[in-house]
Amino acid sequence: MSRALRTSLLCACAVIAACDDTPDVAPTPGTPAPSESPRDEQDIARRDIHDAFKLAQRATKHASDGGGRAWVESLDGAPLAVTAGTTGRWRIVYEAGELGVARGGAVYFQVSPFFEWSTPQVEAPDAAGFTRIATEAEGVELSAKTLDQQLLGIELGGRELRAGERITIDYGCGPAGARVDPYAEPNSRFWIAVDGDGDGVRKVLADSPGIDVLPGPPAMLVATLTSSARAGEEVRLTLALLDARANAAGACAATLELTGAASELELPSSVVLGADDRGRKTLVGRAPADGVYRVQARAVLAERTLVADSNPLSVGPGPRVFWADFHGHTAVSDGSGTANDYFDFARNVAALDIAALTDHDHWGMLFVDEQPELWRAQVDSARRAHEPGRFVALPGYEWTSWLTGHRHVLYFGEQAPLFSSMDERYESPEQLRETLRDQHALIVPHHPAGGPIAIDWRHAPDPELEPVVEMCSAHGTSEALDCARVIHSPRPGHFARDALARGYRLGFVGSGDGHDGHPGLAWKGPHYPTGGLAAILADELTSDGVYRALRARRCYATSGPRILLRFALGRARMGEAIPAAEVNREGNLYLQVVGASALERIEVVVGASELLSIPCRNELEFSASATLSDLKPGEFVYVRVLQLDGGMAWSSPVFVE
Ligand SMILES: [Zn+2]
Ligand SMILES: [Zn+2]
């Protein structure tokens, strides 16, 4: 490999190294909560990644970089489209553009580095991902080498590749084929990049070719019921068939049978699913008298029968609960699928009430902050999906700072500008906040305790712009080290509880941070340790209603299941503050939980180090009251819920002042 190709590799390493979603550390529940860390442990910066991006931004691209075109052809008669999680083989043809590719230049072939595609390799013919490179251009010598995960470099020797001359890349041409990623999506890309002049700087072909990755057969049924209603109001039950990897199964024939409270909710006892239904159906019923209701569903398919229990519906005068996933990615950055597919899945498969799409500003194969048309298309997709009163779709993005931690920005108004973390005008949290102060926007610090990067809590959250923190996501939980399914690569001192101990008033949300195109149901797939949902206690299902609830911290987090949770300390509801004297004199703690499945225990967290555990004897519903005394100003109290199946929920805290 030439010096030029190695220099080029440096940047690719940086891009790939930190996108690992796989948990590698799982501390045992019961580990004591961390105490305040020394100051130097607060520095979480990944300067290597930040500097590599800055270097790449400054690199001058030659006119021949990114030149030419590419397409996919069938190899040995194998189909182009392929089922997720299986194997396939393809021929990718690259044709040089007008300026050609110089001797010493290179063509790069990369399958998505974020999923499970086989790494293209030229060394082991019998192993997966074996790739054969060829050209008919006489005098051109090709030397190919795997440079990194999923990345093959093809260096040109002999002479230049002239305009119109071609290189063929036969990917998966050995007996093992090439492994396909587990997530269905249209136009999954085979990325081609070209260093036309041989200076080590390459550019991706924006229209790199792709193939369709199709869902597998139905393997799961999900039944999602409205969570809260007044007697007589409409309620909805959404039934969705998923494949084994939680992809929407698509067109299939099935009969759906409903039992449990179906007849009380005025739902049909059976309904037929046809090809036009695309494997999902939303039924409308009516809320009966006050109480808790659940529905059981069965999908009878030609080859198998699938069953599902719905989440609980609580009919009564309590607060309305809407379900949100505020954080997810599409193929525009490092996820799967299109923005339109994302919102369609959120509303019609996962039955979310609220969804935000938050692709990275500067991460992935194409960077949104360098492609304004990509950003506009994302925002337009959210606008089209938005239907106040029925489904709130919010535009947003992930401010992907490798210096102070990742935060997503959510827009609730007319404007949705993108202020990139790579732009020196917006590269600190303080600069971002000043810029967003005039916008109808909120910022959410996420995976605060670790994962790709923790949050640097020395940058105190702004109470107006950052009222909540992400408690859990596909990366794991960030509550405290004594919580189950702790985030991978945890950083003591950076947990949500550590932030509360600093005196920050933060409510809790869960989000998917899914990269699989399954907002709201990331936790159903086999790849993530947890998912995340936010329960929004709002008066109305509008952008403003959601904004007001988040600002008031009238929300709570779950790891995915739609657990119903009410919690108050004296007259303060979750998210609010109460004077210490008042709560010590007369403040009873009150909590009520309706599990999505059987409850194992409920824990009351008081301040940074005290934890009261209440066993629930596997009941589905649980309520309790207790008297807390000796609370001091600056302390906080919140509730966490653990189901037998591992599902979790966390109330936003009440803050003692
Ligand atoms: Zn992130
Ligand atoms: Zn993310």
Side-chain angles (χ1 to χ4, degrees):
M1 283 285 123
S2 67
R3 188 187 60 79
L5 208 49
R6 281 201 303 274
T7 312
S8 187
L9 167 64
L10 272 179
C11 294
C13 274
V15 171
I16 291 164
C19 66
D20 178 18
D21 275 341
T22 312
D24 52 12
V25 182
T28 317
T31 310
S35 57
E36 185 76 333
S37 297
R39 280 310 251 190
D40 58 355
E41 283 191 12
Q42 293 301 320
D43 188 5
I44 45 74
R46 291 290 308 271
R47 287 193 178 76
D48 51 338
I49 300 175
H50 178 83
D51 292 350
F53 279 136
K54 284 284 182 192
L55 201 66
Q57 273 186 328
R58 283 196 293 270
T60 310
K61 295 209 168 49
H62 188 265
S64 61
D65 292 342
R69 62 190 186 118
W71 61 91
V72 187
E73 293 179 354
S74 171
L75 181 60
D76 306 332
L80 292 184
V82 64
T83 301
T86 62
T87 59
R89 57 184 58 223
W90 299 270
R91 167 165 292 175
I92 298 103
V93 183
Y94 170 72
E95 184 180 272
E98 262 178 44
L99 299 176
V101 183
R103 180 168 170 261
V107 174
Y108 297 81
F109 167 52
Q110 187 165 27
V111 283
S112 171
F114 308 108
F115 300 113
E116 295 172 18
W117 287 92
S118 290
T119 294
Q121 51 88 14
V122 294
E123 306 286 325
D126 290 339
F130 182 64
T131 303
R132 194 177 296 120
I133 309 295
T135 181
E136 290 182 353
E138 216 166 297
V140 173
E141 293 163 16
L142 303 175
S143 67
K145 187 175 183 181
T146 299
L147 299 175
D148 206 331
Q149 198 185 349
Q150 281 111 345
L151 176 67
L152 189 78
I154 307 161
E155 192 181 342
L156 270 76
R159 67 163 172 86
E160 79 281 14
L161 191 72
R162 298 177 191 132
E165 291 182 329
R166 296 173 179 179
I167 295 172
T168 56
I169 303 165
D170 290 351
Y171 175 49
C173 64
R179 194 175 56 248
V180 177
D181 92 56
Y183 306 125
E185 66 171 334
N187 197 28
S188 190
R189 301 295 196 97
F190 292 141
W191 294 101
I192 298 292
V194 178
D195 170 13
D197 61 336
D199 66 351
V201 177
R202 68 180 188 262
K203 189 175 171 191
V204 168
L205 270 63
D207 58 352
S208 289
I211 51 127
D212 292 340
V213 178
L214 309 170
M220 274 186 268
L221 174 66
V222 180
T224 310
L225 190 57
T226 302
S227 277
S228 64
R230 313 280 184 262
E233 284 182 349
E234 268 190 4
V235 294
R236 283 189 297 273
L237 176 70
T238 296
L239 299 152
L241 289 163
L242 309 179
D243 75 4
R245 299 165 182 89
N247 297 304
C252 52
T255 303
L256 301 168
E257 298 168 356
L258 303 178
T259 53
S263 63
E264 290 170 271
L265 300 179
E266 298 179 23
L267 292 166
S269 58
S270 116
V271 58
V272 172
L273 206 60
D276 290 348
D277 292 313
R278 298 164 61 210
R280 78 283 281 273
K281 192 133 196 151
T282 296
L283 305 169
V284 177
R286 198 157 295 283
D290 289 5
V292 174
Y293 301 87
R294 299 168 199 262
V295 173
Q296 280 79 50
R298 252 162 61 95
V300 182
L301 296 123
E303 59 287 348
R304 64 193 301 186
T305 296
L306 301 167
V307 297
D309 291 332
S310 82
N311 57 298
L313 158 70
S314 173
V315 181
R320 289 186 190 278
V321 182
F322 299 109
W323 293 97
D325 189 342
F326 290 118
H327 181 185
H329 300 273
T330 68
V332 160
S333 60
D334 58 349
S336 277
T338 66
N340 290 344
D341 289 345
Y342 181 92
F343 286 116
D344 172 62
F345 189 101
R347 172 176 167 157
N348 299 314
V349 178
L352 288 173
D353 303 299
I354 305 148
L357 173 54
T358 56
D359 271 310
H360 294 277
D361 51 6
H362 198 90
W363 184 262
M365 296 303 297
L366 300 172
F367 300 141
V368 178
D369 61 352
E370 292 177 354
Q371 314 254 347
E373 69 283 2
L374 286 181
W375 171 244
R376 271 196 301 275
Q378 297 286 87
V379 174
D380 288 348
S381 179
R383 300 299 187 214
R384 280 195 301 275
H386 185 58
E387 186 185 336
R390 175 66 179 86
F391 181 71
V392 171
L394 303 171
Y397 69 97
E398 180 161 342
W399 184 80
T400 312
S401 169
W402 295 103
L403 298 177
T404 58
H406 296 176
R407 293 165 162 82
H408 50 278
V409 175
L410 305 175
Y411 286 111
F412 297 85
E414 298 285 307
Q415 305 295 319
L418 187 137
F419 303 111
S420 173
S421 58
M422 292 302 295
D423 184 325
E424 59 190 24
R425 291 171 297 174
Y426 322 118
E427 71 180 5
S428 75
E430 290 72 21
Q431 287 171 307
L432 178 69
R433 290 171 196 146
E434 280 319 301
T435 306
L436 288 174
R437 210 163 289 289
D438 299 336
Q439 304 286 336
H440 197 19
L442 291 176
I443 305 168
V444 183
H446 64 249
H447 45 71
I453 183 170
I455 285 286
D456 185 341
W457 287 118
R458 292 173 298 185
H459 301 267
D462 183 298
E464 287 182 9
L465 281 164
E466 289 172 289
V468 299
V469 61
E470 187 181 271
M471 179 60 91
C472 61
S473 71
H475 295 286
T477 60
S478 278
E479 182 207 344
L481 269 176
D482 65 4
C483 183
R485 301 190 196 179
V486 165
I487 194 163
H488 61 99
S489 317
R491 293 284 301 249
H494 295 261
F495 285 87
R497 198 185 294 164
D498 298 314
L500 298 181
R502 285 171 171 263
Y504 303 155
R505 288 190 182 176
L506 292 165
F508 298 154
V509 293
S511 314
D513 197 3
H515 293 65
D516 52 6
H518 309 150
L521 289 178
W523 58 290
K524 286 283 185 190
H527 292 87
Y528 297 142
T530 59
L533 279 186
I536 301 298
L537 309 178
D539 301 325
E540 56 178 40
L541 186 55
T542 61
S543 300
D544 270 343
V546 176
Y547 174 82
R548 286 194 299 270
L550 287 171
R551 273 291 305 271
R553 302 179 289 260
R554 294 280 296 148
C555 54
Y556 62 90
T558 89
S559 59
R562 297 190 180 201
I563 297 166
L564 299 176
L565 171 57
R566 296 178 71 180
F567 160 59
L569 188 58
R571 63 183 167 82
R573 303 173 300 176
M574 67 170 87
E576 296 177 339
I578 188 165
E582 180 182 332
V583 72
N584 287 332
R585 191 173 61 244
E586 57 198 52
N588 268 349
L589 179 146
Y590 165 78
L591 65 88
Q592 185 182 46
V593 184
V594 181
S597 64
L599 299 165
E600 184 188 319
R601 65 180 188 274
I602 289 167
E603 290 167 331
V604 180
V605 178
V606 183
S609 56
E610 206 178 329
L611 198 135
L612 315 171
S613 190
I614 311 167
C616 296
R617 297 187 299 278
N618 308 347
E619 290 165 30
L620 279 170
E621 298 171 29
F622 188 85
S623 60
S625 59
T627 305
L628 292 182
S629 54
D630 294 333
L631 289 171
K632 296 175 186 61
E635 284 192 316
F636 50 87
V637 181
Y638 65 87
V639 172
R640 71 180 183 194
V641 177
L642 195 67
Q643 298 187 150
L644 273 178
D645 63 6
M648 290 172 274
W650 299 262
S651 77
S652 280
V654 168
F655 302 93
V656 181
E657 59 186 13

